[in-house]
Amino acid sequence: MPSRHTDSVSPDIKERYEQLKKTIDTYRYDYHVLNKETISPAALDSLKYELFNLEKQYPRLITPDSPSQRVAGKPLKEFSKVPHVVPQWSFDDAFTIEDAKDFDTKVKRFLKSSYGHDVTPTYTCELKIDGLKIVLTYKKGIFAQAATRGDGKVGEDVTVNVKTIQSVPLRLNEEVDCIVEGEVWMSKSNFKALNVLRRAQGESEFANPRNVTAGSIRQLDPKIVEERKLDTFIYDIAQASIPIPSTQFEELELLKKLGFKVNSNFRHCKDISEVIQYWKEWEKKSPKQDYLLDGIVIKVNEREYQEALGYTGKSPRFAIALKFPAEQVTTVVEDIVLQIGRTGILTPVAHLRPVRVAGSVVARATLHNEDEINRLDVRIGDTVILQKAGDVIPDVVRVLKEMRTGKEKKYRFPEKVYECGGDGKIERIRGESAWRCVNKNSFAQQKRKLYHFTSKKALNIDGLGPKIIDVLLNKQLISSCVDIFSLTKDELASLPRFGEKSAENIVNSIEKAKTTTLPRLLISLSISHVGEGVANDLADYFGTLKKIENASFEALEKLEGVGPIVAHSVFSWFGDKNNKKTLNALLTHVSIKAHVAAKGSLSGKTFVLTGTLSSMSRDEAKGKIRNAGGKISESVSKVLDYLVAGENAGSKLDTAKNLRITVLNEKEFIALL
C-alpha cells in the first residue's frame, strides 16, 4: 500500500469498501451478538485489515459507521540441561475429520497385522492445551525435578520455577517414584491482567498466553514466575514404581488420585464417530475456556494396544493431535491457471492477491481439481478464505459470495492445453477428479522428466542442463533418460556452439553418473512425492532397489516419513509395466553402490536449514548432516529437532521460535557436527 494519502477514489474501490463494511458488520453481529462463528475470527480480522488499509490510503472513504483499531507484544531466556529418562515424543497432527478417520483406519490395520485378526480399539480424548510441555519427576512421592521437553532427549532444568506453580504438588498422596508429563499454561484472565499491568507501567504487551508461559518458565528469577500465576494440567504417566492402569482413561483417574491437576474434560469414546463429535463440541466450546486450546488429543484407550502400536521415529502410532481449524485470511482470486506435472496431471492453481498467512506471504494456492472448483464455486475475482496449516500448501476453503459484484468469471477447463503437445487435447480421468493431457508422453512432460533426471539432486550429470537437453530433444538425439547413456562425443561436438572439450566434459559426466547411489537413482525416476528426504528414508530402510521394488503397500506405509499417499505413489510406480521396462533398460547402463545407512552423532535428529551459511553451501551442510546420521526436512513442524539459521533467515526462523524448536546459528551448528 502507498503510504501517502490519495484523494481520487475509483468507483471499484468505493464499491469494495462499502461491501467490506457491510460484510464485516454482518459477521461481527453473528460472532459478538449471536455467539455464532460464521467465519473464523482470523478471517474476519483479515477483512478488517483490508478495510483499514483502504482507509489509510483513501481517508475520504472513512465514515462514522466504519470498524477500527488493536495492539500486541513479546518475551525469552536459558537454563542447565537435563537428559530425559523417558524419551519425550510429540504427536503427529491431523487437521480434518478425514485425517481422524484415516488415523482410525491405520490403527486398526496395524493392530490386525500384529494380532492376526480384527481388533476394535476404543479411544480416550483429551483437550490439547496450548502451553509449554513439562516433565515432572517424583521420588517417593516428593517433587524432585521439572524439565522442559527440549529436543525430546535433553530438556532444561526448570525445577525452581515450577515449584512456584500452586497446582504442582510438592508431595503426592502416595509414596511413589514416577515421571509424569503435562502442560504449563497461563489463563486468559491472568494474561489479560498482566497486560493491563504492563500497560500501566509503560511496558509493551505480551502477544499471547503461550508465549508468556514459555518466557516465564525460562525466567532466572523465580519471583517473576510466581507473580505470573501459571497453572498446569498433567495428562500422562511416563514411568512409575506402581502398576500403570490398563487404560488411558484409568491412567487419568490415577493422576487425579495421586494429587495432580488433570483437565476434567477427557472422555472415553467407543469409536471414531464419537471422537469426531467430541472434537466438534470442543471446537465450539474452546473460545469460552479460560485456557488456550488448539485441538484435541486422540489416544488409543487400551494400554496393551498402545504397546503393540508403538512409535515411529518421532511420534506414537497410538495417538494423534486433531487440530481446530488452522489460521485463515481473506484475499482475492486474480486468475486460475493450469499447471502440468511430470505425470501429465493438470492442477488448477489460483493466482491470488499476495497475503500473509501462517508466517509467510502467499500468492498461489492449489484448487486441486475440477470437483473442488465446483464445490467451492470459486470464480476469478472472488474474495476467498485462504487457510494454511503450518507449512502445508495453502488451500482456498471458502468463497465469500456476499462480496461478489457480478464481475466475477466462472472457470471452465479448456478443450486443449498447448503445453500438452500433439493436438493439445485434455481428458478427465475416469472415476477421478483429475484432468490430464491425452498425450501421455508430451514433449513438455518428457522435458521436465529429463531436466529432473540430470539435476544436481538426481544423477547430477554436470553440463547437461535444460538448454542442452532441449537441443538434444529437438535434434532427436534422445527421447528418454536411457538414451543419455548412449550419447557419443562426436554427437555432442556436432551441436551448435559445442566444441571438443565441452563434448568431452559431458561424456565424462555421463560416465561418472553410471555409478550412483540408491537415493539418487530413486530421486531421478520422477516418482511422485519422492524427493531427497523420502528417497533417503527408503534407501536406509530397505537397503536395495530390489527390496523397494518388491515392497508391499503396507510395508511402505509403515516406514517413518512415508504416509499413505507416498506409499501408494511408490507402490504404483514400481507396479507399472512401462516404468519397469524403462528401469530395466536404465540398469543396463547404471550400477548402484551398496547402500549403508549413515550412523553417527546426529542419528534420529531432523534438521531444517534456512538462510545463508558463510562456511559451506546449503547442499554441503545437508551432506554433513546425513553423513552424521541426521535427516533433512524442508518444513518446520513440531517434530523438528533443530533449525539451522544462517544470515537472512526467513519466516521459518519465526515459526521455529513459536514452536520452541532449538535454533542453531552457524557456529553452534559446526560445533554440533
Side-chain angles (χ1 to χ4, degrees):
M1 283 285 177
S3 56
R4 69 174 189 275
H5 294 165
T6 307
D7 288 330
S8 88
V9 185
S10 71
D12 284 349
I13 295 291
K14 285 180 182 174
E15 184 179 26
R16 182 149 186 92
Y17 179 71
E18 289 302 322
Q19 283 177 315
L20 281 165
K21 278 201 310 180
K22 184 179 176 183
T23 304
I24 290 167
D25 197 53
T26 299
Y27 291 140
R28 176 205 61 78
Y29 183 82
D30 286 348
Y31 187 75
H32 292 286
V33 179
L34 302 181
N35 291 320
K36 189 168 73 175
E37 194 172 304
T38 319
I39 65 171
S40 71
L44 179 56
D45 285 345
S46 184
L47 289 174
K48 290 177 185 175
Y49 184 69
E50 182 183 349
L51 180 130
F52 299 157
N53 277 332
L54 281 176
E55 290 181 343
K56 194 174 176 183
Q57 189 176 1
Y58 305 103
R60 290 179 52 201
L61 288 173
I62 302 171
T63 56
D65 64 337
S66 172
S68 292
Q69 258 112 270
R70 300 297 135 176
V71 217
K74 63 177 181 187
L76 194 89
K77 285 245 187 228
E78 66 180 66
F79 276 90
S80 62
K81 303 297 180 186
V82 177
H84 288 300
V85 175
V86 179
Q88 295 301 305
W89 309 94
S90 56
F91 298 117
D92 284 336
D93 289 336
F95 297 95
T96 66
I97 289 171
E98 287 309 308
D99 290 344
K101 289 177 178 176
D102 287 345
F103 167 70
D104 179 56
T105 301
K106 280 189 214 168
V107 163
K108 288 174 180 173
R109 185 166 62 228
F110 199 102
L111 289 174
K112 184 178 180 179
S113 69
S114 297
Y115 284 83
H117 57 79
D118 287 333
V119 174
T120 306
T122 62
Y123 297 102
T124 289
C125 291
E126 303 163 44
L127 300 183
K128 188 175 184 300
I129 311 301
D130 196 5
L132 179 75
K133 185 172 183 180
I134 203 78
V135 182
L136 307 179
T137 302
Y138 287 79
K139 301 288 185 185
K140 294 189 176 178
I142 304 298
F143 176 64
Q145 188 181 73
T148 60
R149 179 187 180 276
D151 65 2
K153 291 185 178 179
V154 178
E156 293 170 309
D157 188 341
V158 289
T159 306
V160 177
N161 284 347
V162 170
K163 267 188 179 178
T164 69
I165 302 172
Q166 295 297 317
S167 60
V168 174
L170 299 183
R171 179 189 290 273
L172 301 181
N173 295 331
E174 293 181 32
E175 291 187 2
V176 297
D177 293 347
C178 64
I179 298 171
V180 299
E181 301 162 8
E183 204 82 358
V184 179
W185 53 276
M186 174 179 271
S187 69
K188 294 177 187 174
S189 51
N190 282 343
F191 172 74
K192 188 176 178 182
L194 176 62
N195 271 344
V196 168
L197 179 63
R198 289 179 72 81
R199 273 201 305 274
Q201 293 173 342
E203 296 175 308
S204 61
E205 291 182 28
F206 289 127
N208 56 60
R210 181 191 59 250
N211 284 7
V212 180
T213 301
S216 299
I217 284 295
R218 292 181 175 92
Q219 288 289 329
L220 292 176
D221 184 358
K223 287 181 181 176
I224 295 174
V225 188
E226 186 174 26
E227 289 166 3
R228 299 276 168 89
K229 296 176 182 172
L230 300 179
D231 211 337
T232 60
F233 285 129
I234 305 302
Y235 52 71
D236 191 50
I237 302 173
Q239 192 179 87
S241 60
I242 56 174
I244 298 175
S246 60
T247 68
Q248 183 66 29
F249 192 89
E250 291 168 327
E251 183 175 330
L252 291 165
E253 293 288 356
L254 175 59
L255 283 165
K256 286 201 288 186
K257 185 181 169 189
L258 288 172
F260 293 107
K261 184 172 182 178
V262 175
N263 187 286
S264 60
N265 296 299
F266 58 93
R267 185 181 300 169
H268 181 227
C269 299
K270 71 176 189 295
D271 56 30
I272 202 67
S273 63
E274 287 191 2
V275 168
I276 291 164
Q277 187 57 44
Y278 178 88
W279 178 70
K280 287 180 177 177
E281 180 183 322
W282 277 100
E283 182 191 340
K284 290 175 185 171
K285 286 182 180 179
S286 63
K288 299 168 190 165
Q289 308 311 305
D290 200 22
Y291 39 79
L292 283 180
L293 286 172
D294 60 357
I296 67 168
V297 175
I298 309 165
K299 295 178 184 173
V300 170
N301 188 46
E302 296 78 11
R303 179 168 288 276
E304 176 190 345
Y305 297 159
Q306 288 185 9
E307 289 171 359
L309 287 158
Y311 297 80
T312 65
K314 57 191 178 183
S315 55
R317 287 194 181 93
F318 58 81
I320 199 165
L322 180 57
K323 295 293 192 77
F324 293 146
E327 187 177 343
Q328 298 179 336
V329 296
T330 56
T331 187
V332 175
V333 177
E334 297 181 333
D335 199 3
I336 296 175
V337 176
L338 289 177
Q339 185 173 286
I340 302 177
R342 280 176 279 168
T343 58
I345 298 294
L346 297 157
T347 303
V349 176
H351 287 215
L352 308 165
R353 181 182 295 169
V355 63
R356 180 171 286 276
V357 55
S360 60
V361 175
V362 171
R364 296 185 183 192
T366 177
L367 293 172
H368 301 289
N369 50 53
E370 184 181 29
D371 287 358
E372 184 69 357
I373 289 175
N374 293 337
R375 185 186 72 78
L376 291 166
D377 188 23
V378 61
R379 305 175 186 184
I380 297 167
D382 267 338
T383 299
V384 297
I385 294 178
L386 185 71
Q387 174 173 295
K388 187 166 183 267
D391 285 318
V392 177
I393 296 168
D395 268 331
V396 172
V397 293
R398 181 174 162 190
V399 174
L400 298 181
K401 295 178 183 177
E402 52 272 75
M403 290 292 294
R404 282 181 175 164
T405 64
K407 298 172 187 172
E408 295 76 18
K409 296 177 185 174
K410 282 194 172 186
Y411 180 80
R412 301 189 196 288
F413 272 69
E415 289 183 9
K416 297 182 178 182
V417 174
Y418 170 76
E419 203 176 353
C420 282
D423 58 9
K425 283 190 176 179
I426 65 174
E427 63 182 0
R428 180 159 168 159
I429 302 170
R430 185 175 295 176
E432 294 186 29
S433 304
W435 285 74
R436 68 183 172 198
C437 302
V438 172
N439 177 9
K440 295 181 178 61
N441 292 300
S442 70
F443 190 63
Q445 289 171 63
Q446 284 302 104
K447 270 202 303 187
R448 288 205 171 93
K449 285 181 181 179
L450 287 166
Y451 294 168
H452 180 73
F453 183 81
T454 62
S455 66
K456 204 167 186 177
K457 290 178 181 176
L459 287 204
N460 191 23
I461 304 179
D462 193 31
L464 208 55
K467 287 182 180 177
I468 295 172
I469 286 172
D470 286 349
V471 173
L472 292 170
L473 285 166
N474 287 329
K475 295 283 185 182
Q476 296 184 345
L477 289 172
I478 61 171
S479 62
S480 76
C481 60
V482 179
D483 297 333
I484 288 171
F485 296 96
S486 301
L487 286 169
T488 66
K489 181 178 165 184
D490 290 344
E491 285 173 329
L492 290 165
S494 69
L495 298 175
R497 293 185 294 278
F498 253 74
E500 290 270 329
K501 187 63 181 171
S502 53
E504 187 179 337
N505 288 341
I506 290 178
V507 167
N508 289 339
S509 292
I510 293 170
E511 194 61 35
K512 189 177 175 184
K514 287 181 179 179
T515 303
T516 191
T517 64
L518 180 53
R520 281 188 178 277
L521 183 72
L522 291 170
I523 293 166
S524 77
L525 297 176
S526 282
I527 305 170
S528 294
H529 311 295
V530 176
E532 255 188 304
V534 172
N536 277 282
D537 288 344
L538 288 168
D540 286 349
Y541 186 78
F542 290 102
T544 67
L545 181 63
K546 186 57 70 180
K547 285 183 179 177
I548 297 170
E549 283 186 82
N550 296 331
S552 66
F553 172 80
E554 289 75 17
L556 289 163
E557 190 188 22
K558 280 182 186 177
L559 176 60
E560 180 193 348
V562 176
I565 293 172
V566 180
H568 180 265
S569 177
V570 174
F571 185 72
S572 299
W573 195 95
F574 283 105
D576 183 278
K577 288 180 182 177
N578 290 327
N579 290 338
K580 281 185 175 180
K581 187 177 177 182
T582 301
L583 180 58
N584 289 335
L586 187 60
L587 292 175
T588 63
H589 299 282
V590 176
S591 62
I592 306 168
K593 296 175 188 173
H595 184 79
V596 179
K599 290 182 180 176
S601 59
L602 302 184
S603 290
K605 302 294 183 187
T606 304
F607 291 74
V608 162
L609 293 99
T610 184
T612 305
L613 300 174
S614 60
S615 61
M616 66 187 87
S617 69
R618 183 80 65 86
D619 284 341
E620 284 173 331
K622 287 181 178 180
K624 289 178 185 290
I625 290 168
R626 288 202 177 95
N627 289 339
K631 294 186 178 182
I632 309 295
S633 175
E634 297 303 322
S635 60
V636 179
S637 66
K638 288 184 178 178
V639 299
L640 186 66
D641 294 295
Y642 296 104
L643 180 123
V644 180
E647 290 295 318
N648 302 313
S651 60
K652 288 179 180 177
L653 177 58
D654 295 329
T655 306
K657 285 179 178 177
N658 288 337
L659 293 173
R660 300 184 291 279
I661 286 160
T662 302
V663 176
L664 303 174
N665 60 30
E666 186 167 355
K667 187 177 178 182
E668 291 167 331
F669 172 57
I670 291 168
L672 185 66
L673 288 170

